[in-house]
Amino acid sequence: MSHVLDMLLDEANLAMEQLQQHAEVCMAAERFDVLEQISMLASDHQALQSQAERWKQAATSPDSFNRNAGALPSASAGMTLDEQEEAQQRWLAEEQERQRAEDAQIREQEEAQQRWLAEQEAQQLEQRRLEEEAARRQTEEEESARQRRAEEEAARRQAEEEAERRRVEEETERQMREEEEARICEFEEIRQQALEEEAARKRQAEEEAGAARRNADEQEAARQRLEAELKTRRALEEAAARKKAADEEEEEAERQRLAEEAARREAFEREAERKRQEEEQELKRRAEEEAKRLRQANEEEARRGAEEAERRRREQATRQALAEEAERKEQEDEPKRNKRSEEE
C-alpha cells in the first residue's frame, strides 16, 4: 500500500508543478479567479500529503492505524481479529473511494484549466485576425485616399493646362485684333488720304486746266507713293503673318513639351505605384506565411498535448491496475499473516 501512495503522491506533485506553471500564465493574463482556484488546489494538495503520511504510518503500525481511524473500534473493546480486519478493509475501501473522487476532481480541474487555455488561445487568434482585418481595411482606405489625391492632382493639372491654353489663345486673339485694328486704321488713313488727293485733283482740274500735266505728274507721284505704301503694307502683313506662324509654332512646341512632361510624370507615378503594390503584396505574403507557420506550430502543440494526455491516461490506468493488484495481493496475504500470528 505504501508504494501505491508514493506513486499517487508523485503524480499529484507533478500535477501541482504544472499548475504552478499555469499560475504564472494566469498572473500575466490577470485571471485572478483561476489563481484563487489554483491556490485552493495547493491547500488541498498539502492536506492530502499530510493525510497520506498518516496513512503510511497507519499501514506500517496497526496500533497507529487504529488510533488514526477513529471510526474503527479498538481491539481492547472486544472486537475479534476478523472483525478488525474487515473493519480495516472497509476503511481502506472508503479511503480509496475518497482518493478516486479527489483524483477525479483534480482531473476535472486540469481539464477545466486546459479548456481555459484553449479559449485563451482562440481569443488570441481572433484578436490577431481582427488586427489583420483592421490593418487591411486601413491599407484599403489609404489606397483609396491616394487614388483620390492622384485623381484630384491630375484634374488640377489638367485645369491649369486648360487655363494656360485659354490664356495663350486669348492673348493671341487680342494681339490679332490689335494688329487687325491697326491695319484697318492704316487702310482708313490711306483711303482718306486718297479721297483727299482725289478731291484736290478734281479741284485742281476744275481750277487750272493748264496745270493738267503737273497734276498728272503729281498723280503719278501719288500713285507711286500709294504703290510703295501698298507694298510696305503688304510687307508688314507678311511679316505679321510670319510672326504669327512662328508664335503658333512656339505655342505648339510648348504644348508638346508640357504634354511630354505630364506623360513622364504620369509614368513615374505609375512606376512608383507599381513598386508600392509589389511591396504591399510581399508584406502580405510574408504575413500569410507567418500566420501559416503559427497555425502549424499551434496544431503541433495541440497534437503533442493530446499525446501527452493519452500517455497520462494510460499511466493512470496502469497505476490504478497496479494499485488494485497490490490491494488484491495484500488481501490474499492478510489471512496468511493472521494465521501466522495466531500460530505464534
Side-chain angles (χ1 to χ4, degrees):
M1 193 64 184
S2 176
H3 66 277
V4 175
L5 288 175
D6 293 336
M7 183 171 57
L8 294 175
L9 284 174
D10 292 338
E11 183 179 357
N13 291 329
L14 179 60
M16 285 307 301
E17 290 178 359
Q18 294 178 353
L19 286 177
Q20 291 296 331
Q21 295 176 359
H22 294 327
E24 297 177 358
V25 178
C26 296
M27 179 69 72
E30 297 183 356
R31 292 297 303 270
F32 299 107
D33 52 347
V34 180
L35 288 174
E36 185 177 357
Q37 293 179 2
I38 294 174
S39 177
M40 293 173 62
L41 289 176
S43 300
D44 295 339
H45 176 66
Q46 292 178 358
L48 289 174
Q49 279 184 332
S50 301
Q51 189 174 3
E53 292 295 332
R54 289 196 300 271
W55 288 349
K56 290 169 66 176
Q57 292 175 3
T60 56
S61 175
D63 295 336
S64 175
F65 171 78
N66 292 327
R67 285 195 302 272
N68 290 331
L72 296 175
S74 63
S76 61
M79 183 179 291
T80 64
L81 186 60
D82 294 336
E83 291 175 350
Q84 290 180 3
E85 181 181 353
E86 183 179 357
Q88 185 177 1
Q89 290 177 357
R90 285 198 303 271
W91 182 82
L92 288 174
E94 292 175 356
E95 291 297 328
Q96 290 174 359
E97 184 66 25
R98 187 181 300 109
Q99 181 64 31
R100 283 194 292 270
E102 291 175 353
D103 292 340
Q105 183 180 4
I106 291 172
R107 285 195 298 273
E108 290 177 358
Q109 291 174 354
E110 291 178 352
E111 291 175 356
Q113 180 68 18
Q114 292 176 357
R115 286 195 300 272
W116 176 80
L117 291 174
E119 292 174 359
Q120 290 293 320
E121 185 177 359
Q123 291 178 0
Q124 291 177 0
L125 291 174
E126 182 66 19
Q127 182 68 22
R128 286 196 293 272
R129 187 185 66 79
L130 293 175
E131 291 177 355
E132 292 175 356
E133 183 68 20
R136 184 181 62 79
R137 291 179 180 175
Q138 184 178 2
T139 303
E140 291 178 355
E141 292 175 358
E142 292 177 354
E143 178 65 20
S144 177
R146 281 194 293 272
Q147 289 179 356
R148 287 197 300 272
R149 287 196 296 271
E151 291 175 357
E152 292 174 357
E153 181 66 19
R156 184 182 62 79
R157 288 196 299 270
Q158 185 176 1
E160 291 178 354
E161 292 175 357
E162 184 66 20
E164 181 67 19
R165 184 181 62 79
R166 290 179 180 176
R167 187 186 64 77
V168 172
E169 290 178 354
E170 291 175 356
E171 182 67 22
T172 304
E173 186 177 357
R174 185 181 61 79
Q175 292 178 359
M176 290 174 65
R177 284 198 303 270
E178 291 178 354
E179 292 175 357
E180 185 67 23
E181 290 175 357
R183 285 195 298 272
I184 291 171
C185 292
E186 187 177 356
F187 291 153
E188 186 66 24
E189 291 177 357
I190 293 171
R191 189 180 64 83
Q192 187 66 27
Q193 184 179 2
L195 292 174
E196 291 176 357
E197 291 177 354
E198 184 66 22
R201 285 195 298 271
K202 288 179 179 180
R203 285 193 303 271
Q204 290 176 2
E206 292 175 355
E207 293 174 356
E208 297 179 356
R213 184 180 295 174
R214 188 176 63 254
N215 290 334
D217 294 337
E218 291 177 357
Q219 289 176 358
E220 183 65 22
R223 186 182 63 79
Q224 291 177 357
R225 286 195 303 272
L226 182 59
E227 289 177 355
E229 291 174 357
L230 290 173
K231 289 180 181 180
T232 303
R233 189 162 50 251
R234 282 195 296 270
L236 291 173
E237 290 176 355
E238 291 175 356
R242 287 194 299 271
K243 182 179 180 183
K244 180 179 178 182
D247 294 339
E248 290 177 353
E249 291 177 356
E250 290 179 358
E251 291 174 0
E252 182 66 23
E254 182 66 20
R255 281 196 296 271
Q256 290 179 357
R257 186 185 64 78
L258 292 174
E260 291 175 356
E261 184 177 355
R264 286 195 299 273
R265 188 182 300 112
E266 185 177 358
F268 178 76
E269 291 176 355
R270 284 199 301 270
E271 182 66 19
E273 182 67 19
R274 184 183 63 79
K275 290 182 180 179
R276 186 189 61 76
Q277 290 178 356
E278 290 178 355
E279 291 176 356
E280 290 180 355
Q281 290 177 357
E282 180 66 19
L283 291 175
K284 186 181 294 183
R285 183 183 63 78
R286 291 179 181 176
E288 291 177 354
E289 291 178 355
E290 183 65 20
K292 183 177 179 181
R293 186 182 63 77
L294 290 175
R295 284 196 300 271
Q296 292 177 353
N298 293 331
E299 290 175 358
E300 182 66 20
E301 185 67 23
R303 185 182 62 78
R304 291 178 181 175
E307 292 177 354
E308 182 67 20
E310 181 66 20
R311 185 184 62 79
R312 290 181 182 176
R313 185 184 64 77
R314 291 178 180 176
E315 290 178 356
Q316 178 67 22
T318 304
R319 285 194 294 271
Q320 186 174 359
L322 292 174
E324 292 176 355
E325 181 67 21
E327 183 180 357
R328 185 180 62 78
K329 289 182 178 179
E330 186 176 358
Q331 290 177 0
E332 291 176 355
D333 295 339
E334 187 65 24
K336 296 179 181 180
R337 288 197 301 269
N338 294 332
K339 186 175 180 180
R340 284 197 300 271
S341 299
E342 291 174 356
E343 290 177 354
E344 291 175 357

